[in-house]
Amino acid sequence: YIYNLSNPLFSVITVTLNPGEALWRTIASLEIQQFHNFEHIIKDAGSTDGSLSEYVRRTENYSTRVICMPDAGIYDAMNQALEYANGKYVLFLNAGDKLFSCDVLGEVAQVVEKYPDLGIVYGDYFSEPLNLVVNSPRKLSRFFLYRTTLCHQTIFAKNREIEEIGGFDISLRVLADYDLLLRMNLISNISCFYMNKAFVSYMGGGFSTKSDNVKIAIQEAVMLRHKYYRLVDRLLYGALRALTLPKLRIMLMQSSSLLSLQKVYTRVVNILNSLS
């Protein structure tokens, strides 16, 4: 593979604000990729911890661009970064998270080059807190999307598709990535492809998992279900979802003292997703 930065296949976007050494985990996983036709865009809101100046000093990776400008939050920053993205497909990779192996971009490239009409390619992720791979469902059914969403670090989405549906809705504080996935699937009905491969190593502690944001996330999820699902679907899917004891599951996954139970629960979910 050769560099083609004027027309890269992938744009990997990392949104930062004082990321510290966590940024280097992400950068290191990109530097070892065997597939090189990608760009890395770091969108920074004004870090003061020296991480970006240290990056400029320590690296000569010309495939990376650092864009510094103020923003109104994480999703506004993502929209800003999209304006600079030249890649056909976009992956949002948080500072601290890293591509799971050196062949991730290469294997995704083989799929999108074979099936160029794909709007989304998604896969699995490795949870560092749980020390196991978390599987995504084989198909993104309407019921799955009603109940939950994908880890956004596992989604390669076509840049043009994101642009056509207007990018992230910055009126949403926590679940704008969920809203984007719903619009792409339920409204645009884009084609999706699942790869049974861990794309990313997730270090935990994401934006939507912070305690202050969980309550907001629950409220926004209810609003989005009312927005995108008919009443008959909400009644049916809501009844089915209630049988899965969602409040208990949320409490379980938030408790740091119940790690062994979280692993058991995740393994059960993996089995169910493999059958979907």
Side-chain angles (χ1 to χ4, degrees):
Y1 296 110
I2 62 173
Y3 287 94
N4 183 18
L5 298 184
S6 63
N7 188 28
L9 184 58
F10 302 119
S11 292
V12 180
I13 294 174
T14 302
V15 172
T16 61
L17 180 61
N18 298 322
E21 287 296 317
L23 179 61
W24 288 96
R25 280 171 44 98
T26 304
I27 291 172
S29 74
L30 292 171
E31 289 181 336
I32 65 171
Q33 290 300 300
Q34 297 170 348
F35 180 85
H36 295 152
N37 191 17
F38 73 94
E39 63 179 359
H40 184 206
I41 298 175
I42 300 174
K43 164 58 188 71
D44 188 77
S47 292
T48 58
D49 65 349
S51 56
L52 294 187
S53 59
E54 180 69 6
Y55 166 78
V56 172
R57 186 183 71 81
R58 289 168 57 180
T59 186
E60 297 179 355
N61 185 349
Y62 56 83
S63 67
T64 300
R65 285 182 289 161
V66 179
I67 300 164
C68 297
M69 65 175 69
D71 56 60
I74 185 171
Y75 296 116
D76 186 37
M78 289 179 173
N79 281 339
Q80 289 177 356
L82 284 169
E83 295 180 7
Y84 293 88
N86 296 317
K88 185 176 181 180
Y89 288 86
V90 175
L91 171 69
F92 289 94
L93 191 60
N94 296 346
D97 295 335
K98 57 185 182 179
L99 294 182
F100 186 70
S101 59
C102 63
D103 62 351
V104 169
L105 294 185
E107 292 201 14
V108 177
Q110 291 178 18
V111 170
V112 299
E113 288 168 355
K114 184 177 181 179
Y115 306 107
D117 293 332
L118 288 174
I120 283 178
V121 177
Y122 68 100
D124 307 324
Y125 69 93
F126 178 79
S127 169
E128 294 182 17
L130 297 178
N131 193 33
L132 57 80
V133 172
V134 180
N135 298 129
S136 297
R138 271 51 180 170
K139 293 183 179 180
L140 295 182
S141 67
R142 290 178 61 85
F143 179 49
F144 173 84
L145 291 171
Y146 182 90
R147 292 188 298 109
T148 186
T149 186
L150 297 173
C151 173
H152 77 75
Q153 295 96 318
T154 67
I155 301 173
F156 288 81
K158 188 169 283 186
N159 197 349
R160 187 184 70 238
E161 299 280 0
I162 299 175
E163 180 182 0
E164 288 178 353
I165 63 174
F168 294 96
D169 181 353
I170 63 172
S171 69
L172 295 166
R173 291 178 56 189
V174 181
L175 294 186
D177 51 345
Y178 179 35
D179 170 71
L180 184 70
L181 185 62
L182 287 172
R183 279 185 281 140
M184 293 183 80
N185 281 271
L186 302 183
I187 296 179
S188 298
N189 194 30
I190 67 168
S191 55
C192 299
F193 187 92
Y194 168 72
M195 292 180 62
N196 186 15
K197 176 180 178 62
F199 284 173
V200 66
S201 183
Y202 172 58
M203 68 183 301
F207 178 71
S208 63
T209 66
K210 296 182 184 298
S211 58
D212 293 343
N213 292 330
V214 171
K215 184 176 181 180
I216 298 173
I218 293 173
Q219 294 170 343
E220 290 184 348
V222 171
M223 183 272 290
L224 292 173
R225 291 175 187 130
H226 277 76
K227 181 177 181 179
Y228 295 116
Y229 286 86
R230 300 174 302 166
L231 175 60
V232 63
D233 292 328
R234 296 200 305 271
L235 291 174
L236 174 60
Y237 295 157
L240 293 173
R241 179 174 176 270
L243 295 176
T244 68
L245 305 175
K247 292 183 178 180
L248 180 61
R249 289 187 288 108
I250 291 172
M251 288 190 295
L252 170 64
M253 298 307 291
Q254 284 186 300
S255 176
S256 59
S257 63
L258 298 175
L259 189 61
S260 59
L261 289 178
Q262 291 175 10
K263 288 184 177 181
V264 171
Y265 168 74
T266 302
R267 289 192 176 100
V268 172
V269 171
N270 283 347
I271 293 172
L272 294 176
N273 281 340
S274 69
L275 300 174
S276 65

